[in-house]
Amino acid sequence: MSSNTIALLVVVFYMVALISFSFYAKYAQAKKSKNSDSGESFLLANRSFGTVLVMVTIVGVALGANGTVGIAQNGYGFGISAGWYDGAFAIGIIITAFLFVKKLRSLNLSTISQIYGDYYGEKTRLVSSIGQLFMNFCIMIAQYIAGGAILSSLLPQYFTLSSGMLLSAIIFLAIASIGGMMSTGVTNIVNIGLLYVSVIIAVIYTIKGVGGIGPLMAGLPDREMFLHPIDGLGFGVFLSYLILFFVHVPTAQSTVQMIFAAKDEKAALRGYLIGGLMVLPFGFATALIGMAGRVMFPALENTAMALPAVIVTFPGAVAGIVLAGMWAADVSTATSLILGNSALFINDIYKPLKKDATQINEVKLSKVIGVIFTVLTLFCAFFVKFLLQFITMGLSLCVAYFIILIASLYFPKLCKRNSAILTLIASFIVVALWMTVPTFKGMFSHVIYPQLIICSLTFALVSVLDNTPAPFRKEATLTAENQMS
């Protein structure tokens, strides 16, 4: 039996196992819940996640395509400093645990956009949800690219990039649709375990493949830059990662849904703290693999293939295990994104706009939205080449959300009726300018910096010029605000 056939069998076995675990999760949830067909049961696992499920799910969201293939791509070009993408994500998770878990739990929410609706009105809630959907859209595209790249590189006789992306999309959607959030949590226990085993194996075989640490260091084109903890990316990009995830983790639906799904505050807090610590070292390991790829394949045409190109040099069974582990990272992120988008659309767009929304079958609607989201993002995935640039552009919208969230929870007197909606619109304009005006893009090293400047100025100006206070409508919100003051 050829090594490629062995690798294929390992991957197929793993895919079948994930689907089986999804059905088990659905059965377990139905047995435990009196109303397993409710939207809260499907999208939030009946708010029953313990520490372990919270931990593996937030780790899974963090270590998707960007935390594996994307970092290896940057490691190929810039060295070990590429690992700060995951390092900054980890710091963002830990800060969120201390600053936001208690506050968000006290509001009894299903989506993060509900805060903006409760504080500023339904128009703001709608605009907020559109921005959240766009962010998830950007991140989801990267999962297909990474999944397709891994499958097509290791198993070229079985998969093209396109067919690998298509198969990845089918598995992502199946897991999310079978058992909802509980399915995602249970499969993440398997995914994260395999992911960590696979990256340890990958590092060992990678170093062995280049002849050891000495030959790896000697083969780098610029040893000093590649080994420096910051200089490869540059301080500006390093700082942008810290800012990006400081604002992203507490404000994006995909990264806070586990707080809402947790059974209590302690489970959410512990899950995020342990999860953050688990994410912290991971990126530096994948950056090292990318560096080895630079030594082994110095003229790689598509640098996004750096990680798969290294994996393909491993023995068949080893390559299959590592492939399945890296591919599992995409599964973990993608299933959370699919469910997060369904929750956003149903709770923050469909229900507010449709008067008889109480009559809908939320589970069926969630699955329909999941299919639409998957098809649209898969189509767009064929046109994106550089993972982290595209993802960070979408994530930069979180700057506006963070400014609004901090002001609303800590400085409510600064919040005016139009503060949120105008700040959000300003962030959309920044992204549009960044995408279409080269002169504007050339003024900054990263999109996060114009977002910080323009969104902060917008919020400050509205706070001074608008004389109408934010409505702060919901009783739960008002109660939480009183508890915090």
Side-chain angles (χ1 to χ4, degrees):
M1 187 179 293
S2 69
S3 60
N4 278 335
T5 302
I6 294 172
L8 176 66
L9 290 175
V10 172
V11 173
V12 170
F13 174 80
Y14 184 65
M15 291 178 181
V16 172
L18 287 181
I19 298 296
S20 301
F21 278 115
S22 297
F23 278 109
Y24 168 77
K26 180 181 180 180
Y27 169 78
Q29 180 74 359
K31 190 174 181 180
K32 187 166 58 174
S33 173
K34 294 181 179 179
N35 189 11
S36 60
D37 292 328
S38 69
E40 183 169 283
S41 177
F42 186 79
L43 295 172
L44 293 176
N46 244 12
R47 303 185 190 270
S48 62
F49 269 25
T51 298
V52 172
L53 288 179
V54 172
M55 175 193 70
V56 295
T57 307
I58 189 59
V59 171
V61 171
L63 301 180
N66 44 333
T68 53
V69 175
I71 289 180
Q73 181 180 18
N74 268 352
Y76 184 95
F78 307 111
I80 198 68
S81 61
W84 277 113
Y85 187 90
D86 276 351
F89 208 137
I91 293 169
I93 293 171
I94 293 169
I95 290 174
T96 297
F98 286 116
L99 294 184
F100 293 101
V101 164
K102 182 177 181 179
K103 299 178 187 299
L104 293 177
R105 287 289 305 183
S106 69
L107 299 177
N108 193 33
L109 303 170
S110 297
T111 67
I112 193 68
S113 290
Q114 285 178 252
I115 293 178
Y116 308 108
D118 292 351
Y119 277 59
Y120 301 96
E122 292 304 324
K123 288 183 179 179
T124 302
R125 182 175 181 173
L126 179 62
V127 172
S128 167
S129 301
I130 292 171
Q132 290 276 348
L133 291 172
F134 176 74
M135 285 190 288
N136 285 353
F137 194 88
C138 293
I139 303 170
M140 190 68 183
I141 285 173
Q143 311 315 309
Y144 301 131
I145 298 171
I150 291 172
L151 292 174
S152 62
S153 293
L154 188 59
L155 304 167
Q157 68 273 54
Y158 301 109
F159 297 103
T160 63
L161 178 63
S162 298
S163 63
M165 290 166 64
L166 178 61
L167 178 62
S168 297
I170 291 170
I171 299 297
F172 298 162
L173 182 61
I175 292 172
S177 299
I178 291 169
M181 194 65 183
M182 182 58 74
S183 173
T184 297
V186 170
T187 55
N188 272 338
I189 294 176
V190 182
N191 286 337
I192 301 308
L194 179 59
L195 177 58
Y196 275 82
V197 169
S198 67
V199 80
I200 292 170
I201 293 173
V203 168
I204 293 171
Y205 273 85
T206 296
I207 294 173
K208 182 180 178 181
V210 294
I213 292 292
L216 171 60
M217 302 305 162
L220 294 171
D222 185 342
R223 180 173 177 175
E224 185 176 346
M225 183 199 78
F226 269 71
L227 297 180
H228 196 279
I230 295 176
D231 282 356
L233 288 176
F235 182 77
V237 176
F238 165 73
L239 181 61
S240 72
Y241 283 171
L242 293 178
I243 297 171
L244 180 66
F245 290 109
F246 179 69
V247 301
H248 168 64
V249 179
T251 58
Q253 179 64 26
S254 60
T255 48
V256 298
Q257 189 154 336
M258 288 65 70
I259 296 175
F260 307 145
K263 64 181 181 180
D264 53 38
E265 181 187 318
K266 287 184 178 180
L269 179 64
R270 291 170 182 167
Y272 273 62
L273 287 175
I274 300 171
L277 293 174
M278 289 183 65
V279 171
L280 191 58
F282 191 90
F284 299 102
T286 50
L288 181 66
I289 297 172
M291 293 163 61
R294 182 63 176 266
V295 175
M296 298 166 70
F297 310 100
L300 202 59
E301 184 177 345
N302 181 2
T303 57
M305 305 297 285
L307 180 64
V310 173
I311 294 175
V312 80
T313 65
F314 301 165
V318 174
I321 293 171
V322 174
L323 165 67
M326 296 299 174
W327 189 76
D330 295 342
V331 175
S332 299
T333 301
T335 51
S336 294
L337 288 168
I338 291 171
L339 293 169
N341 265 23
S342 294
L344 279 167
F345 184 86
I346 290 174
N347 290 293
D348 298 317
I349 296 178
Y350 187 84
K351 285 183 178 180
L353 294 178
K354 195 168 180 64
K355 294 180 180 179
D356 60 345
T358 54
Q359 304 301 316
I360 65 170
N361 185 319
E362 291 189 23
V363 175
K364 288 184 179 179
L365 182 57
S366 296
K367 294 179 180 180
V368 170
I369 295 166
V371 171
I372 295 171
F373 175 60
T374 300
V375 170
L376 288 176
T377 48
L378 180 61
F379 175 78
C380 292
F382 292 105
F383 303 99
V384 176
K385 296 296 182 184
F386 204 93
L387 297 181
L388 292 187
Q389 286 184 2
F390 187 76
I391 293 169
T392 53
M393 182 191 67
L395 294 184
S396 72
L397 293 174
C398 285
V399 171
Y401 289 94
F402 186 81
I403 291 170
I404 298 162
L405 184 66
I406 282 289
S408 301
L409 294 178
Y410 287 96
F411 311 103
K413 290 183 180 179
L414 297 178
C415 302
K416 304 299 172 65
R417 176 177 291 278
N418 294 308
S419 294
I421 196 166
L422 291 179
T423 304
L424 289 170
I425 291 172
S427 72
F428 300 156
I429 293 172
V430 171
V431 168
L433 290 173
W434 187 266
M435 294 173 63
T436 59
V437 182
T439 305
F440 180 80
K441 187 175 182 178
M443 295 168 62
F444 305 93
S445 63
H446 196 282
V447 65
I448 201 77
Y449 297 119
Q451 286 282 22
L452 274 172
I453 295 168
I454 294 174
C455 291
S456 297
L457 285 174
T458 301
F459 189 90
L461 285 172
V462 175
S463 182
V464 172
L465 299 177
D466 188 349
N467 294 321
T468 307
F472 291 85
R473 301 177 304 154
K474 293 291 183 71
E475 182 178 349
T477 300
L478 291 171
T479 300
E481 181 202 345
N482 292 334
Q483 291 173 351
M484 295 167 199
S485 61

